[in-house]
Amino acid sequence: MSENLDPFSISQKQLYDACKIIGYESQIYNALSTPERFIEIKITMKMDDGLLKTFRGFRSQYNSARGPMKGGIRWHPEESASLVKALSAWMTWKCACVDIPLGGAKGGIICNPKEMSNNEIEKLARNYIRKLADVLGPNVDVPAPDVYTNPQIMAYMLDEYETIVRKHAPSVITGKPLALGGSAGRSIATAQGGAYCIREAAKDLDLNLNDASVVVQGYGNAGSWVAKILKDTFNCKIIAVSDSRGGIYNENGINPHEAALHKEKTRTVVGLDGTKEITNEELLELDCDVLIPAALENVITRKNVENIRCKIIAELANGPTTPDADQILFQKGTLVIPDFLCNAGGVTVSYFEMVQGYYRYFWTEKEVFEALDRVMTRAYYSTIEQSQKFDTHNRMGAYIIALERVVNTMQLRGWI
Ligand code: NAD
């Protein structure tokens, strides 16, 4: 039987497995297995050439028991309703796993911003907010950037929302530019949070990070920053990195800053001097200490999991590993830092950004990262503790913590 790669089915299967381990009845699973609200919108707008184009967009508000819902907006040609629902579920478990008082949501538009002008990008961003303003808000649902969206797009969205409600509301959106109330450290927070987890996982395995070999799939915001942080903080050796156009490899190490500059100039890491070109598939199977999937979903599956040869998988991407692959990695003894723990640094600093926005007083980067370190380190050890207690893999460990917290709040509210 071929493996089911539908993201929402995968998130439901994970939830089902976690409910079973905890011993929840099927009623609890049923109460948690779909979003509270799912909205599909249509945006028709005039493009620069004068022709009309119609886009499909989504917002999935998965669970609001623990606080305002929170989740990024992804713009991608392969965006889908199923993926947005899955990502909104993972946001719910992520916020609960690291214990920040937020629920989970996610949004997206099927589009390719790489083929759009700045003017078209601004129009699309404003249109998305106009369609959804009634169901967003600092105390309702708070978007942020995700794949192919950035602080500038968040700035257009903030301005549109504030124009509609006719007042300042900086905490309606996070990942904003600093000048508009963004938080120090937000742009690198996902990577920084992942690096704290990798530091703790290395301690667990007695792995010296000095000169440890690291492979990064996806050299965007999360991937490029984690490569730079791991090199600059721990002197890790980054032996391979990739993006949607392919990968590059050098067994003696790639300078992650040069790779980022090369990508800035040429829009890809491919072609960096002193590196050999490899495919994304080959990159995942390289012998290394730490493998970091930081691109898209379903890259470690039943098909290639036997060939994965790293000691630690640090999932900065959402949903990179399928449930079948999880089982096999567990049997192989690979230490997986699961996505909604490993990449929770982004939403945690987004939460700090909301807090700073509420009282208009801003923290230094040092304060932000000290607070982030405390949150991530605590969540890492709680996850390990639960997976050991239930003799399961770390993804289930993280689910157990998250689920118990969400279920507890729903019970206190009398929802279940
Ligand atoms: P991004 O748009 O900045 O970068 C994505 C990178 O992946 C790009 O370099 C792109 O070329 C590359 N890519 C796309 N398709 C690929 C493929 N098939 N093979 C290899 N590389 C490919 O996005 P990002 O914000 O860095 O997000 C990356 C992942 O991290 C996503 O799964 C996202 O949901 C997750 N994440 C990001 C944040 C954040 O704060 N940015 C927070 C939590 C989770």
Side-chain angles (χ1 to χ4, degrees):
M1 212 169 63
S2 66
E3 199 174 8
N4 182 356
L5 298 181
D6 173 65
F8 190 45
S9 309
I10 288 179
S11 74
Q12 288 178 316
K13 157 111 182 74
Q14 293 165 341
L15 174 67
Y16 182 83
D17 289 347
C19 286
K20 234 168 107 182
I21 293 176
I22 302 176
Y24 286 150
E25 292 166 6
S26 58
Q27 305 162 54
I28 303 275
Y29 169 78
N30 292 339
L32 288 168
S33 61
T34 48
E36 282 177 19
R37 172 157 58 182
F38 181 79
I39 301 164
E40 178 166 344
I41 56 171
K42 184 173 87 171
I43 297 170
T44 299
M45 60 182 226
K46 208 176 267 178
M47 306 300 277
D48 289 352
D49 59 9
L51 296 177
L52 289 178
K53 198 161 177 179
T54 297
F55 298 90
R56 275 174 79 205
F58 313 97
R59 189 79 191 161
S60 175
Q61 299 181 324
Y62 200 84
N63 189 289
S64 60
R66 286 174 47 86
M69 292 169 282
K70 185 87 192 76
I73 298 172
R74 186 180 284 202
W75 288 10
H76 196 274
E78 255 122 67
E79 188 62 314
S80 68
S82 163
L83 182 55
V84 175
K85 285 181 192 171
L87 289 164
S88 68
W90 291 327
M91 281 304 298
T92 305
W93 315 134
K94 185 185 307 191
C95 295
C97 177
V98 296
D99 207 7
I100 53 177
L102 298 173
K106 200 79 185 190
I109 302 179
I110 305 174
C111 68
N112 188 354
K114 289 181 183 173
E115 291 171 357
M116 291 162 64
S117 70
N118 284 336
N119 177 46
E120 290 167 344
I121 284 174
E122 176 176 352
K123 255 190 184 171
L124 189 59
R126 289 186 184 278
N127 264 300
Y128 183 81
I129 294 300
R130 243 174 271 148
K131 299 271 175 181
L132 289 169
D134 286 345
V135 294
L136 301 175
N139 291 308
V140 184
D141 178 3
V142 180
D146 194 75
V147 175
Y148 298 166
T149 54
N150 56 35
Q152 178 59 70
I153 293 176
M154 297 306 111
Y156 295 141
M157 291 183 167
L158 172 74
D159 184 66
E160 192 61 33
Y161 182 82
E162 291 183 338
T163 304
I164 292 166
V165 301
R166 298 175 68 80
K167 56 185 167 207
H168 280 288
S171 295
V172 72
I173 210 150
T174 61
K176 302 180 292 290
L178 279 182
L180 283 177
S183 174
R186 173 60 184 89
S187 51
I188 67 171
T190 302
Q192 187 66 61
Y196 293 139
C197 290
I198 293 168
R199 178 192 67 198
E200 299 309 313
K203 282 185 205 161
D204 265 357
L205 295 185
D206 249 340
L207 170 73
N208 187 352
L209 282 178
N210 185 14
D211 223 29
S213 52
V214 175
V215 168
V216 182
Q217 188 203 33
Y219 216 60
N221 178 296
S224 65
W225 276 110
V226 80
K228 291 184 239 180
I229 292 168
L230 291 178
K231 171 74 187 154
D232 296 347
T233 317
F234 303 110
N235 196 33
C236 291
K237 187 164 69 178
I238 314 299
I239 59 167
V241 303
S242 71
D243 57 34
S244 57
R245 302 197 195 175
I248 53 173
Y249 171 70
N250 182 338
E251 63 178 336
N252 298 316
I254 293 167
N255 180 324
H257 297 275
E258 282 173 15
L261 284 175
H262 181 77
K263 187 166 164 72
E264 227 177 274
K265 278 193 219 136
T266 65
R267 304 184 80 172
T268 176
V269 291
V270 175
L272 178 69
D273 276 351
T275 61
K276 183 181 138 208
E277 194 171 338
I278 56 171
T279 65
N280 264 295
E281 291 71 33
E282 288 166 340
L283 172 133
L284 290 168
E285 297 179 8
L286 287 171
D287 199 350
C288 63
D289 292 311
V290 185
L291 171 63
I292 307 181
L296 301 175
E297 320 66 49
N298 294 333
V299 293
I300 302 175
T301 64
R302 210 156 67 191
K303 229 158 108 187
N304 65 355
V305 63
E306 295 292 358
N307 302 331
I308 301 287
R309 289 182 290 162
C310 57
K311 298 190 177 87
I312 296 171
I313 297 180
E315 297 181 338
L316 281 187
N318 282 304
T321 309
T322 61
D324 284 359
D326 264 336
Q327 277 308 333
I328 297 169
L329 289 168
F330 184 47
Q331 282 151 18
K332 278 169 61 157
T334 310
L335 195 161
V336 176
I337 311 171
D339 52 3
F340 67 73
L341 166 66
C342 193
N343 67 29
V347 74
T348 303
V349 175
S350 272
Y351 162 61
F352 297 159
E353 182 175 333
M354 287 169 71
V355 172
Q356 293 169 79
Y358 289 140
Y359 65 108
R360 310 286 164 108
Y361 178 79
F362 292 88
W363 312 352
T364 62
E365 187 175 275
K366 187 166 174 279
E367 287 168 317
V368 169
F369 287 150
E370 279 171 2
L372 177 65
D373 194 353
R374 282 195 295 276
V375 169
M376 297 303 297
T377 303
R378 189 183 55 209
Y380 176 84
Y381 285 105
S382 316
T383 297
I384 299 293
E385 198 182 296
Q386 290 306 310
S387 48
Q388 285 172 354
K389 181 172 157 199
F390 287 89
D391 190 23
T392 181
H393 51 76
N394 289 341
R395 190 175 323 279
M396 281 300 117
Y399 259 100
I400 291 164
I401 301 171
L403 262 179
E404 287 183 342
R405 287 189 178 139
V406 173
V407 166
N408 182 35
T409 19
M410 289 171 78
Q411 281 167 336
L412 287 170
R413 286 177 184 280
W415 290 2
I416 53 177

